[in-house]
Amino acid sequence: MEGAVRYGFALEYNANGFRRGMQRYRDGERCPYPHDRFWEKVKEAGISVYVGSDCHEPGQVYDGTVETAYRKLDEMGIGVRTDWG
């Protein structure tokens, strides 16, 4: 995360973790990634974020999982970068 701050890089919020479903961890039941605690730190640091579908087939380029990722970031109050310039 320090490198993203130092060099002005955006970080990818990887939607594929939602496709893997809920699993049990020491800190509770959640998807394996993205992990909320990490993204709260990203928010505090003011790092730019974009959503990546991490698709493994064409139908996953923009599917319900990607929509879930955008919704989750909105709920966390994290703005999503949509430009690539």
Side-chain angles (χ1 to χ4, degrees):
M1 188 167 19
E2 293 83 12
V5 171
R6 178 178 291 148
Y7 298 107
F9 293 147
L11 296 179
E12 176 194 16
Y13 191 82
N14 189 326
N16 198 44
F18 296 118
R19 289 188 189 102
R20 299 180 183 274
M22 300 297 281
Q23 299 175 25
R24 187 168 306 281
Y25 295 93
R26 288 185 306 192
D27 62 344
E29 192 170 320
R30 59 177 173 79
C31 292
Y33 58 90
H35 198 295
D36 289 351
R37 285 194 313 234
F38 174 80
W39 291 97
E40 286 293 338
K41 291 179 181 184
V42 169
K43 176 184 172 182
E44 291 171 13
I47 299 170
S48 294
V49 175
Y50 67 94
V51 172
S53 64
D54 191 7
C55 60
H56 293 260
E57 59 184 66
Q60 295 175 336
V61 171
Y62 194 98
D63 61 3
T65 302
V66 174
E67 291 175 354
T68 297
Y70 278 102
R71 187 172 47 253
K72 181 73 173 174
L73 287 167
D74 185 56
E75 290 169 1
M76 295 176 76
I78 298 174
V80 177
R81 184 175 176 167
T82 57
D83 68 312
W84 297 97

